[in-house]
């Protein structure tokens, strides 16, 4: 593979990501087990089921360790999913810098869509419609018991810490 290859990876709080994944699946398959049933192999012992893809995806360090067998860390840029929502122009500026591009995407290219709860691109002159996330994005997450969220935060904490240390960036997911 070329040493010029650059990878852009969007990451977000793994607990929120898992809930979002579940919410999306639930919208397509309303008869699936509850989030709590899928998260734990044994809830009373707090044993998380890492075979469930919604959980495994958020163990970012495991994926990164695989990628680093083939790519240098300098070839990978991590976009904060949270900052992409709160500061889309800033995140896109960092992406443009990483790619060695002139910064042309700025705040003026975005507006906040209250319905979706996300920033959207303003319509280009050649289009009559602004560009926003598809129908499957921006839906309200299912309510999850606070204790389950805390157990998942504890589960992900060591993975997050190692991920932060490896990439040299604290995403502040705790």
């Amino acid at each position: 593979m070329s040493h010029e290859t650059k990878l852009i990876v969007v990451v977000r709080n793994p607990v929120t990501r898992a809930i979002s994944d579940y919410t999306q699946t639930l919208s397509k398959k309303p008869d699936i087990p509850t989030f709590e049933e899928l998260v734990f192999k044994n809830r009373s012992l707090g044993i998380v089921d890492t075979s469930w893809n919604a959980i495994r995806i958020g163990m970012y360090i495991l994926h990164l360790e695989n990628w680093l067998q083939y790519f240098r860390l300098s070839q990978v840029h991590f976009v904060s999913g949270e900052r992409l929502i709160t500061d889309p122009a800033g995140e896109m500026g960092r992406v443009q810098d990483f790619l060695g591009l002139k910064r042309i995407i700025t705040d003026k290219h975005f507006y906040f869509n209250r319905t979706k709860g996300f920033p959207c691109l303003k319509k280009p002159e050649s289009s009559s419609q602004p560009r926003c996330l598809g129908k499957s994005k921006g839906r309200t997450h299912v309510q999850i018991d606070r204790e389950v969220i805390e157990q998942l935060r504890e589960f992900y904490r060591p993975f997050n810490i190692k991920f932060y240390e490896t990439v040299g960036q604290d995403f502040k997911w705790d």
Side-chain angles (χ1 to χ4, degrees):
M1 293 214 183
S2 170
H3 290 291
E4 303 302 311
T5 300
K6 294 186 177 186
L7 305 175
I8 299 171
V9 181
V10 180
V11 293
R12 69 188 291 198
N13 181 318
V15 175
T16 307
R17 208 216 64 70
I19 295 168
S20 180
D21 187 301
Y22 176 78
T23 300
Q24 181 146 341
T25 303
L26 186 62
S27 73
K28 296 172 187 171
K29 300 177 184 177
D31 57 342
I32 62 172
T34 67
F35 181 80
E36 291 82 355
E37 289 172 308
L38 292 168
V39 165
F40 297 105
K41 280 186 178 180
N42 184 321
R43 177 151 184 212
S44 61
L45 296 177
I47 300 172
V48 173
D49 187 352
T50 58
S51 69
W52 185 32
N53 203 41
I55 294 298
R56 188 154 188 78
I57 290 171
M59 299 163 70
Y60 301 124
I61 187 61
L62 302 183
H63 308 295
L64 179 58
E65 287 171 343
N66 285 331
W67 300 337
L68 291 178
Q69 294 176 51
Y70 307 99
F71 301 98
R72 296 182 319 276
L73 188 58
S74 62
Q75 292 177 265
V76 186
H77 177 73
F78 295 93
V79 173
S80 164
E82 289 82 11
R83 284 194 312 261
L84 197 54
I85 293 168
T86 61
D87 180 22
E91 277 302 293
M92 292 309 298
R94 286 181 277 281
V95 168
Q96 291 167 102
D97 292 347
F98 172 70
L99 296 173
L101 302 172
K102 180 180 172 190
R103 283 193 178 204
I104 59 169
I105 301 172
T106 65
D107 282 329
K108 71 179 183 180
H109 293 96
F110 297 94
Y111 75 95
F112 190 80
N113 182 311
R114 293 187 202 287
T115 305
K116 289 278 187 189
F118 287 95
C120 299
L121 287 171
K122 290 183 179 173
K123 74 177 184 127
E125 292 174 19
S126 62
S127 170
S128 61
Q129 294 292 320
R131 294 284 301 143
C132 205
L133 296 170
K135 292 176 189 166
S136 68
K137 302 295 183 184
R139 61 171 58 98
T140 303
H141 290 173
V142 290
Q143 287 297 104
I144 304 299
D145 181 70
R146 203 90 195 104
E147 186 180 313
V148 171
I149 290 172
E150 283 306 313
Q151 285 177 291
L152 276 177
R153 280 188 181 141
E154 285 300 315
F155 167 77
Y156 279 118
R157 184 166 285 116
F159 296 101
N160 292 344
I161 290 169
K162 190 168 182 193
F163 179 68
Y164 298 164
E165 290 170 352
T166 303
V167 303
Q169 185 176 350
D170 185 342
F171 289 90
K172 303 188 184 325
W173 292 325
D174 291 324

